[in-house]
Amino acid sequence: MKKADILSLRKMGLVTPQCTPSEVWLGVPLKTRDEIIGVMAVQNYQDALCYDETHVNLLVSVADQVATALERKKAEKALRDSEEKFRHIITTVREGIVSMDAHWRITFANAHFAEMFGYELDELIGQSFEILFHDDDLDDFANQKNERQKGKYSQFERKFKTKDGRTIWTIVSATALIDNEGSFAGSFGTITDISERKEAEKALQEKMQELRQAFDQIKTLRGILPICMHCKKIRDDQGYWNQVEIYVRNHTEADFSHGICPDCLKILYPE
């Protein structure tokens, strides 16, 4: 673009540099695969004929390389930002997060996972996941490994063994890791500690059992009891008449201790 072209565009109100116009201006777009992200330009204030087709081709080549570099930088920044967000989530979430390779060795764990099991992070990396299992759960773990190797997702309850031998109850959400060739590459899982909930459930079950046992021992009287208006005997379901204390003793957990009320005492022992 020559100086006359620049001045003409300025008169037309089109956006042009507001500085002193050069004798010649040469520019090419910075293009990525999806968009134009800018312009690369050179200009000369003395010689309007200093640029030829060779300079144009050279500038196009340089612009393509610069655009590619800028696009890569943008992608790298987006990746860093994404990794930082992911790292923040992983480190702050109150869930145990663990990743294993195809041989079930721990390759990654977050801080909460290590805290749940009483380990330092560097103690866990490279260890077999089986160190966290009780012996009686290893058979079921073998079944779960088969499910992961088939690419299946599972969610289930699992008890684990901590470093100091305690048992914790968890909910495990596990999924398979598949490589670019479609082969099994390991497993990724989140682990939620539900030990407090399990303890509460156990306490509730024990209390319910106590209540059931107490209820089984309770005998209650319901309905209308046929009682003699004179002698006060009660007729049972078989038609027999029983003394009140005998009937009550047979139909409840109550028992009697005998005494004399003040009114009867005056009648029986007037002196």
Short mmCIF file of all heavy atoms in Angstrom, two decimals, residues 5-65:
data_model
loop_
_atom_site.label_atom_id
_atom_site.label_comp_id
_atom_site.label_asym_id
_atom_site.label_seq_id
_atom_site.Cartn_x
_atom_site.Cartn_y
_atom_site.Cartn_z
N ASP A 5 -2.55 5.72 -1.23
CA ASP A 5 -3.62 4.81 -0.80
C ASP A 5 -3.97 5.03 0.67
O ASP A 5 -5.14 5.02 1.07
CB ASP A 5 -3.21 3.36 -1.02
CG ASP A 5 -2.94 3.07 -2.50
OD1 ASP A 5 -3.68 3.60 -3.34
OD2 ASP A 5 -1.99 2.30 -2.77
N ILE A 6 -2.96 5.22 1.48
CA ILE A 6 -3.17 5.44 2.91
C ILE A 6 -3.97 6.73 3.14
O ILE A 6 -4.93 6.77 3.90
CB ILE A 6 -1.83 5.49 3.66
CG1 ILE A 6 -1.11 4.16 3.53
CG2 ILE A 6 -2.02 5.86 5.11
CD1 ILE A 6 0.30 4.14 4.09
N LEU A 7 -3.59 7.80 2.44
CA LEU A 7 -4.28 9.08 2.59
C LEU A 7 -5.72 8.98 2.09
O LEU A 7 -6.65 9.57 2.65
CB LEU A 7 -3.52 10.18 1.84
CG LEU A 7 -2.13 10.52 2.41
CD1 LEU A 7 -1.42 11.52 1.50
CD2 LEU A 7 -2.27 11.08 3.81
N SER A 8 -5.92 8.22 1.02
CA SER A 8 -7.26 8.04 0.47
C SER A 8 -8.16 7.31 1.47
O SER A 8 -9.31 7.69 1.69
CB SER A 8 -7.19 7.26 -0.85
OG SER A 8 -8.48 7.02 -1.35
N LEU A 9 -7.63 6.30 2.09
CA LEU A 9 -8.42 5.55 3.09
C LEU A 9 -8.73 6.43 4.30
O LEU A 9 -9.82 6.34 4.89
CB LEU A 9 -7.65 4.30 3.53
CG LEU A 9 -7.54 3.17 2.50
CD1 LEU A 9 -6.62 2.06 3.02
CD2 LEU A 9 -8.92 2.60 2.18
N ARG A 10 -7.79 7.29 4.66
CA ARG A 10 -8.02 8.18 5.80
C ARG A 10 -9.14 9.15 5.50
O ARG A 10 -9.98 9.43 6.36
CB ARG A 10 -6.73 8.90 6.15
CG ARG A 10 -6.83 9.78 7.39
CD ARG A 10 -5.50 10.43 7.74
NE ARG A 10 -4.50 9.42 8.10
CZ ARG A 10 -3.25 9.73 8.43
NH1 ARG A 10 -2.84 11.00 8.40
NH2 ARG A 10 -2.39 8.78 8.76
N LYS A 11 -9.19 9.67 4.30
CA LYS A 11 -10.26 10.59 3.91
C LYS A 11 -11.62 9.89 3.91
O LYS A 11 -12.65 10.51 4.19
CB LYS A 11 -9.98 11.17 2.53
CG LYS A 11 -8.82 12.16 2.48
CD LYS A 11 -8.61 12.69 1.07
CE LYS A 11 -7.45 13.67 0.99
NZ LYS A 11 -7.24 14.16 -0.39
N MET A 12 -11.61 8.62 3.59
CA MET A 12 -12.86 7.86 3.56
C MET A 12 -13.33 7.47 4.96
O MET A 12 -14.42 6.91 5.13
CB MET A 12 -12.67 6.58 2.72
CG MET A 12 -12.41 6.87 1.23
SD MET A 12 -11.90 5.39 0.31
CE MET A 12 -13.33 4.35 0.57
N GLY A 13 -12.55 7.78 5.96
CA GLY A 13 -12.93 7.49 7.33
C GLY A 13 -12.62 6.08 7.78
O GLY A 13 -13.05 5.66 8.86
N LEU A 14 -11.91 5.35 6.95
CA LEU A 14 -11.54 4.00 7.35
C LEU A 14 -10.40 4.06 8.36
O LEU A 14 -9.63 5.01 8.41
CB LEU A 14 -11.12 3.18 6.13
CG LEU A 14 -12.22 3.00 5.06
CD1 LEU A 14 -11.66 2.22 3.87
CD2 LEU A 14 -13.43 2.27 5.65
N VAL A 15 -10.31 3.01 9.16
CA VAL A 15 -9.30 3.01 10.21
C VAL A 15 -7.92 2.82 9.58
O VAL A 15 -7.68 1.83 8.89
CB VAL A 15 -9.57 1.88 11.22
CG1 VAL A 15 -8.46 1.82 12.28
CG2 VAL A 15 -10.93 2.08 11.88
N THR A 16 -7.07 3.76 9.78
CA THR A 16 -5.67 3.66 9.34
C THR A 16 -4.80 4.22 10.44
O THR A 16 -5.29 4.95 11.33
CB THR A 16 -5.43 4.47 8.06
OG1 THR A 16 -5.75 5.85 8.31
CG2 THR A 16 -6.29 3.96 6.92
N PRO A 17 -3.53 3.92 10.47
CA PRO A 17 -2.66 4.51 11.49
C PRO A 17 -2.73 6.03 11.46
O PRO A 17 -2.70 6.64 10.40
CB PRO A 17 -1.26 4.00 11.10
CG PRO A 17 -1.52 2.75 10.31
CD PRO A 17 -2.80 3.00 9.58
N GLN A 18 -2.85 6.65 12.63
CA GLN A 18 -2.99 8.10 12.71
C GLN A 18 -1.64 8.83 12.77
O GLN A 18 -1.59 10.03 12.98
CB GLN A 18 -3.82 8.46 13.95
CG GLN A 18 -5.26 7.94 13.89
CD GLN A 18 -5.99 8.47 12.66
OE1 GLN A 18 -5.98 9.67 12.39
NE2 GLN A 18 -6.62 7.57 11.91
N CYS A 19 -0.56 8.09 12.60
CA CYS A 19 0.76 8.72 12.56
C CYS A 19 1.05 9.24 11.15
O CYS A 19 0.22 9.11 10.24
CB CYS A 19 1.84 7.72 13.00
SG CYS A 19 1.85 6.23 11.97
N THR A 20 2.21 9.80 10.99
CA THR A 20 2.60 10.28 9.66
C THR A 20 2.65 9.11 8.69
O THR A 20 3.31 8.11 8.96
CB THR A 20 3.99 10.94 9.72
OG1 THR A 20 3.96 12.02 10.65
CG2 THR A 20 4.40 11.45 8.34
N PRO A 21 1.94 9.20 7.57
CA PRO A 21 1.89 8.06 6.65
C PRO A 21 3.25 7.80 6.02
O PRO A 21 4.01 8.72 5.71
CB PRO A 21 0.88 8.50 5.60
CG PRO A 21 0.86 9.98 5.65
CD PRO A 21 1.11 10.34 7.09
N SER A 22 3.57 6.52 5.86
CA SER A 22 4.84 6.12 5.25
C SER A 22 4.69 6.15 3.73
O SER A 22 3.59 6.25 3.19
CB SER A 22 5.22 4.72 5.73
OG SER A 22 4.20 3.80 5.36
N GLU A 23 5.84 6.05 3.06
CA GLU A 23 5.81 6.00 1.60
C GLU A 23 5.21 4.68 1.11
O GLU A 23 4.54 4.64 0.06
CB GLU A 23 7.23 6.18 1.05
CG GLU A 23 7.81 7.56 1.27
CD GLU A 23 7.01 8.63 0.53
OE1 GLU A 23 6.49 8.35 -0.58
OE2 GLU A 23 6.89 9.75 1.08
N VAL A 24 5.45 3.63 1.87
CA VAL A 24 4.89 2.33 1.49
C VAL A 24 4.65 1.51 2.77
O VAL A 24 5.41 1.59 3.74
CB VAL A 24 5.83 1.57 0.53
CG1 VAL A 24 7.17 1.29 1.19
CG2 VAL A 24 5.20 0.27 0.06
N TRP A 25 3.56 0.77 2.75
CA TRP A 25 3.21 -0.08 3.91
C TRP A 25 2.91 -1.47 3.38
O TRP A 25 2.16 -1.64 2.41
CB TRP A 25 1.99 0.52 4.60
CG TRP A 25 1.50 -0.25 5.82
CD1 TRP A 25 1.86 -0.02 7.10
CD2 TRP A 25 0.54 -1.31 5.84
NE1 TRP A 25 1.21 -0.88 7.95
CE2 TRP A 25 0.37 -1.69 7.19
CE3 TRP A 25 -0.18 -1.98 4.85
CZ2 TRP A 25 -0.49 -2.72 7.59
CZ3 TRP A 25 -1.04 -3.00 5.25
CH2 TRP A 25 -1.19 -3.36 6.61
N LEU A 26 3.54 -2.49 4.00
CA LEU A 26 3.33 -3.87 3.56
C LEU A 26 2.90 -4.70 4.78
O LEU A 26 3.60 -4.74 5.79
CB LEU A 26 4.63 -4.44 2.98
CG LEU A 26 4.60 -5.92 2.57
CD1 LEU A 26 3.58 -6.15 1.46
CD2 LEU A 26 5.98 -6.38 2.13
N GLY A 27 1.73 -5.30 4.68
CA GLY A 27 1.22 -6.08 5.80
C GLY A 27 0.56 -7.36 5.35
O GLY A 27 -0.01 -7.44 4.26
N VAL A 28 0.64 -8.38 6.21
CA VAL A 28 -0.05 -9.66 5.96
C VAL A 28 -0.72 -10.09 7.26
O VAL A 28 -0.26 -9.76 8.37
CB VAL A 28 0.95 -10.75 5.50
CG1 VAL A 28 1.55 -10.40 4.15
CG2 VAL A 28 2.04 -10.97 6.54
N PRO A 29 -1.83 -10.84 7.16
CA PRO A 29 -2.55 -11.25 8.37
C PRO A 29 -1.81 -12.38 9.11
O PRO A 29 -1.11 -13.19 8.51
CB PRO A 29 -3.89 -11.74 7.83
CG PRO A 29 -3.60 -12.18 6.44
CD PRO A 29 -2.54 -11.25 5.93
N LEU A 30 -1.99 -12.36 10.43
CA LEU A 30 -1.53 -13.48 11.25
C LEU A 30 -2.71 -14.44 11.38
O LEU A 30 -3.68 -14.17 12.08
CB LEU A 30 -1.09 -12.99 12.64
CG LEU A 30 0.13 -12.06 12.67
CD1 LEU A 30 0.35 -11.50 14.07
CD2 LEU A 30 1.38 -12.81 12.19
N LYS A 31 -2.65 -15.55 10.67
CA LYS A 31 -3.78 -16.47 10.58
C LYS A 31 -3.46 -17.80 11.27
O LYS A 31 -2.40 -18.38 11.04
CB LYS A 31 -4.14 -16.74 9.12
CG LYS A 31 -4.64 -15.52 8.36
CD LYS A 31 -5.15 -15.91 6.98
CE LYS A 31 -4.06 -16.50 6.12
NZ LYS A 31 -4.56 -16.80 4.74
N THR A 32 -4.39 -18.23 12.09
CA THR A 32 -4.34 -19.59 12.62
C THR A 32 -5.32 -20.44 11.80
O THR A 32 -5.91 -19.96 10.84
CB THR A 32 -4.73 -19.62 14.11
OG1 THR A 32 -6.11 -19.26 14.25
CG2 THR A 32 -3.86 -18.65 14.91
N ARG A 33 -5.51 -21.67 12.22
CA ARG A 33 -6.44 -22.53 11.49
C ARG A 33 -7.88 -22.04 11.59
O ARG A 33 -8.69 -22.28 10.70
CB ARG A 33 -6.35 -23.96 12.03
CG ARG A 33 -5.06 -24.68 11.65
CD ARG A 33 -4.97 -26.02 12.35
NE ARG A 33 -4.91 -25.87 13.81
CZ ARG A 33 -4.86 -26.89 14.66
NH1 ARG A 33 -4.87 -28.13 14.19
NH2 ARG A 33 -4.78 -26.68 15.96
N ASP A 34 -8.19 -21.33 12.67
CA ASP A 34 -9.59 -20.97 12.91
C ASP A 34 -9.90 -19.48 12.76
O ASP A 34 -11.06 -19.12 12.57
CB ASP A 34 -9.99 -21.41 14.33
CG ASP A 34 -9.81 -22.91 14.54
OD1 ASP A 34 -10.12 -23.66 13.60
OD2 ASP A 34 -9.38 -23.30 15.64
N GLU A 35 -8.88 -18.62 12.87
CA GLU A 35 -9.19 -17.20 12.89
C GLU A 35 -7.95 -16.37 12.55
O GLU A 35 -6.83 -16.88 12.50
CB GLU A 35 -9.72 -16.80 14.27
CG GLU A 35 -8.71 -17.06 15.39
CD GLU A 35 -9.24 -16.70 16.76
OE1 GLU A 35 -10.20 -15.90 16.81
OE2 GLU A 35 -8.71 -17.20 17.76
N ILE A 36 -8.21 -15.08 12.30
CA ILE A 36 -7.14 -14.11 12.12
C ILE A 36 -6.92 -13.44 13.47
O ILE A 36 -7.85 -12.88 14.06
CB ILE A 36 -7.51 -13.05 11.06
CG1 ILE A 36 -7.63 -13.73 9.68
CG2 ILE A 36 -6.45 -11.94 11.02
CD1 ILE A 36 -8.07 -12.79 8.58
N ILE A 37 -5.70 -13.49 13.96
CA ILE A 37 -5.44 -12.99 15.31
C ILE A 37 -4.66 -11.68 15.31
O ILE A 37 -4.39 -11.12 16.37
CB ILE A 37 -4.67 -14.04 16.14
CG1 ILE A 37 -3.32 -14.37 15.48
CG2 ILE A 37 -5.49 -15.30 16.32
CD1 ILE A 37 -2.45 -15.29 16.32
N GLY A 38 -4.29 -11.17 14.12
CA GLY A 38 -3.55 -9.91 14.08
C GLY A 38 -2.96 -9.66 12.70
O GLY A 38 -3.32 -10.32 11.72
N VAL A 39 -2.04 -8.72 12.66
CA VAL A 39 -1.40 -8.33 11.40
C VAL A 39 0.09 -8.15 11.66
O VAL A 39 0.51 -7.62 12.70
CB VAL A 39 -1.99 -7.02 10.86
CG1 VAL A 39 -1.21 -6.54 9.63
CG2 VAL A 39 -3.46 -7.19 10.51
N MET A 40 0.90 -8.59 10.69
CA MET A 40 2.34 -8.30 10.73
C MET A 40 2.64 -7.34 9.57
O MET A 40 2.26 -7.62 8.43
CB MET A 40 3.16 -9.58 10.61
CG MET A 40 4.67 -9.31 10.51
SD MET A 40 5.67 -10.82 10.62
CE MET A 40 5.56 -11.14 12.39
N ALA A 41 3.28 -6.22 9.88
CA ALA A 41 3.49 -5.19 8.85
C ALA A 41 4.88 -4.59 8.95
O ALA A 41 5.49 -4.56 10.03
CB ALA A 41 2.44 -4.10 8.99
N VAL A 42 5.38 -4.10 7.81
CA VAL A 42 6.61 -3.32 7.73
C VAL A 42 6.30 -2.08 6.88
O VAL A 42 5.37 -2.08 6.08
CB VAL A 42 7.77 -4.11 7.11
CG1 VAL A 42 8.19 -5.25 8.02
CG2 VAL A 42 7.38 -4.66 5.73
N GLN A 43 7.06 -1.02 7.08
CA GLN A 43 6.84 0.20 6.29
C GLN A 43 8.15 0.96 6.11
O GLN A 43 9.09 0.80 6.88
CB GLN A 43 5.79 1.10 6.95
CG GLN A 43 6.05 1.41 8.42
CD GLN A 43 4.87 2.10 9.08
OE1 GLN A 43 3.90 2.47 8.42
NE2 GLN A 43 4.95 2.30 10.38
N ASN A 44 8.14 1.78 5.06
CA ASN A 44 9.34 2.56 4.74
C ASN A 44 8.92 4.00 4.47
O ASN A 44 7.96 4.25 3.73
CB ASN A 44 10.03 1.97 3.51
CG ASN A 44 11.40 2.56 3.28
OD1 ASN A 44 11.55 3.76 3.03
ND2 ASN A 44 12.42 1.71 3.36
N TYR A 45 9.60 4.93 5.09
CA TYR A 45 9.24 6.34 4.96
C TYR A 45 10.03 7.05 3.85
O TYR A 45 9.84 8.26 3.66
CB TYR A 45 9.48 7.05 6.30
CG TYR A 45 8.43 6.71 7.34
CD1 TYR A 45 8.61 5.61 8.17
CD2 TYR A 45 7.28 7.48 7.48
CE1 TYR A 45 7.67 5.28 9.12
CE2 TYR A 45 6.33 7.15 8.43
CZ TYR A 45 6.51 6.05 9.24
OH TYR A 45 5.56 5.73 10.19
N GLN A 46 10.90 6.35 3.13
CA GLN A 46 11.73 7.01 2.13
C GLN A 46 11.53 6.47 0.72
O GLN A 46 11.43 7.24 -0.24
CB GLN A 46 13.22 6.88 2.51
CG GLN A 46 13.54 7.57 3.84
CD GLN A 46 15.00 7.36 4.24
OE1 GLN A 46 15.70 6.52 3.69
NE2 GLN A 46 15.45 8.16 5.20
N ASP A 47 11.48 5.14 0.58
CA ASP A 47 11.45 4.54 -0.76
C ASP A 47 10.16 3.78 -0.96
O ASP A 47 9.93 2.73 -0.34
CB ASP A 47 12.66 3.61 -0.91
CG ASP A 47 12.78 3.04 -2.33
OD1 ASP A 47 11.92 3.38 -3.18
OD2 ASP A 47 13.73 2.25 -2.57
N ALA A 48 9.32 4.27 -1.83
CA ALA A 48 8.03 3.64 -2.09
C ALA A 48 8.18 2.36 -2.90
O ALA A 48 7.24 1.57 -3.00
CB ALA A 48 7.10 4.62 -2.82
N LEU A 49 9.34 2.11 -3.47
CA LEU A 49 9.54 0.92 -4.32
C LEU A 49 10.49 -0.10 -3.69
O LEU A 49 11.04 -0.95 -4.38
CB LEU A 49 10.10 1.36 -5.68
CG LEU A 49 9.24 2.35 -6.47
CD1 LEU A 49 9.97 2.77 -7.73
CD2 LEU A 49 7.88 1.74 -6.78
N CYS A 50 10.64 -0.01 -2.39
CA CYS A 50 11.65 -0.87 -1.75
C CYS A 50 11.19 -2.32 -1.59
O CYS A 50 12.01 -3.21 -1.38
CB CYS A 50 12.05 -0.29 -0.40
SG CYS A 50 10.70 -0.26 0.79
N TYR A 51 9.85 -2.57 -1.63
CA TYR A 51 9.36 -3.93 -1.43
C TYR A 51 8.90 -4.53 -2.76
O TYR A 51 8.26 -3.86 -3.58
CB TYR A 51 8.20 -3.94 -0.43
CG TYR A 51 8.54 -3.35 0.92
CD1 TYR A 51 7.72 -2.40 1.52
CD2 TYR A 51 9.69 -3.78 1.60
CE1 TYR A 51 8.02 -1.87 2.75
CE2 TYR A 51 10.00 -3.24 2.84
CZ TYR A 51 9.16 -2.29 3.42
OH TYR A 51 9.48 -1.76 4.64
N ASP A 52 9.22 -5.81 -2.96
CA ASP A 52 8.74 -6.52 -4.14
C ASP A 52 8.07 -7.82 -3.71
O ASP A 52 7.84 -8.07 -2.52
CB ASP A 52 9.88 -6.77 -5.12
CG ASP A 52 11.03 -7.54 -4.49
OD1 ASP A 52 10.79 -8.25 -3.47
OD2 ASP A 52 12.15 -7.47 -5.01
N GLU A 53 7.79 -8.69 -4.68
CA GLU A 53 7.07 -9.95 -4.39
C GLU A 53 7.86 -10.84 -3.44
O GLU A 53 7.27 -11.58 -2.63
CB GLU A 53 6.79 -10.68 -5.71
CG GLU A 53 5.82 -11.84 -5.58
CD GLU A 53 4.42 -11.35 -5.23
OE1 GLU A 53 4.09 -10.19 -5.55
OE2 GLU A 53 3.67 -12.15 -4.63
N THR A 54 9.19 -10.73 -3.55
CA THR A 54 10.02 -11.55 -2.66
C THR A 54 9.79 -11.18 -1.20
O THR A 54 9.67 -12.05 -0.32
CB THR A 54 11.50 -11.38 -3.01
OG1 THR A 54 11.71 -11.79 -4.36
CG2 THR A 54 12.38 -12.22 -2.09
N HIS A 55 9.70 -9.86 -0.96
CA HIS A 55 9.45 -9.40 0.41
C HIS A 55 8.07 -9.83 0.90
O HIS A 55 7.88 -10.17 2.07
CB HIS A 55 9.60 -7.87 0.49
CG HIS A 55 10.98 -7.38 0.20
ND1 HIS A 55 11.36 -6.88 -1.02
CD2 HIS A 55 12.10 -7.34 0.98
CE1 HIS A 55 12.61 -6.52 -0.99
NE2 HIS A 55 13.10 -6.79 0.22
N VAL A 56 7.10 -9.81 -0.01
CA VAL A 56 5.75 -10.24 0.35
C VAL A 56 5.77 -11.71 0.79
O VAL A 56 5.21 -12.08 1.83
CB VAL A 56 4.77 -10.03 -0.81
CG1 VAL A 56 3.41 -10.63 -0.47
CG2 VAL A 56 4.63 -8.55 -1.14
N ASN A 57 6.40 -12.55 -0.02
CA ASN A 57 6.44 -13.99 0.29
C ASN A 57 7.19 -14.25 1.60
O ASN A 57 6.80 -15.12 2.40
CB ASN A 57 7.11 -14.75 -0.84
CG ASN A 57 6.28 -14.73 -2.12
OD1 ASN A 57 5.06 -14.59 -2.08
ND2 ASN A 57 6.95 -14.86 -3.27
N LEU A 58 8.28 -13.48 1.81
CA LEU A 58 9.04 -13.65 3.04
C LEU A 58 8.20 -13.25 4.26
O LEU A 58 8.18 -13.94 5.28
CB LEU A 58 10.31 -12.80 2.98
CG LEU A 58 11.19 -12.82 4.24
CD1 LEU A 58 11.68 -14.23 4.53
CD2 LEU A 58 12.38 -11.85 4.06
N LEU A 59 7.46 -12.15 4.12
CA LEU A 59 6.63 -11.68 5.23
C LEU A 59 5.49 -12.67 5.52
O LEU A 59 5.16 -12.92 6.69
CB LEU A 59 6.06 -10.29 4.91
CG LEU A 59 5.39 -9.55 6.08
CD1 LEU A 59 6.38 -9.35 7.23
CD2 LEU A 59 4.84 -8.20 5.63
N VAL A 60 4.91 -13.24 4.47
CA VAL A 60 3.85 -14.25 4.65
C VAL A 60 4.41 -15.45 5.41
O VAL A 60 3.77 -15.98 6.33
CB VAL A 60 3.28 -14.68 3.29
CG1 VAL A 60 2.41 -15.92 3.46
CG2 VAL A 60 2.48 -13.55 2.68
N SER A 61 5.60 -15.90 5.04
CA SER A 61 6.21 -17.05 5.70
C SER A 61 6.48 -16.77 7.17
O SER A 61 6.19 -17.60 8.05
CB SER A 61 7.52 -17.42 4.98
OG SER A 61 8.16 -18.48 5.64
N VAL A 62 7.06 -15.58 7.43
CA VAL A 62 7.34 -15.22 8.82
C VAL A 62 6.04 -15.09 9.62
O VAL A 62 5.94 -15.55 10.76
CB VAL A 62 8.15 -13.91 8.88
CG1 VAL A 62 8.27 -13.44 10.32
CG2 VAL A 62 9.51 -14.09 8.25
N ALA A 63 5.01 -14.48 9.01
CA ALA A 63 3.74 -14.30 9.69
C ALA A 63 3.11 -15.64 10.04
O ALA A 63 2.52 -15.81 11.12
CB ALA A 63 2.79 -13.47 8.83
N ASP A 64 3.21 -16.60 9.13
CA ASP A 64 2.65 -17.93 9.41
C ASP A 64 3.35 -18.57 10.61
O ASP A 64 2.69 -19.18 11.47
CB ASP A 64 2.80 -18.83 8.19
CG ASP A 64 1.85 -18.45 7.07
OD1 ASP A 64 0.87 -17.72 7.36
OD2 ASP A 64 2.06 -18.90 5.92
N GLN A 65 4.67 -18.42 10.66
CA GLN A 65 5.41 -18.99 11.79
C GLN A 65 5.07 -18.29 13.10
O GLN A 65 4.92 -18.93 14.15
CB GLN A 65 6.92 -18.90 11.52
CG GLN A 65 7.37 -19.75 10.33
CD GLN A 65 8.86 -19.65 10.10
OE1 GLN A 65 9.65 -19.69 11.03
NE2 GLN A 65 9.26 -19.49 8.85
#
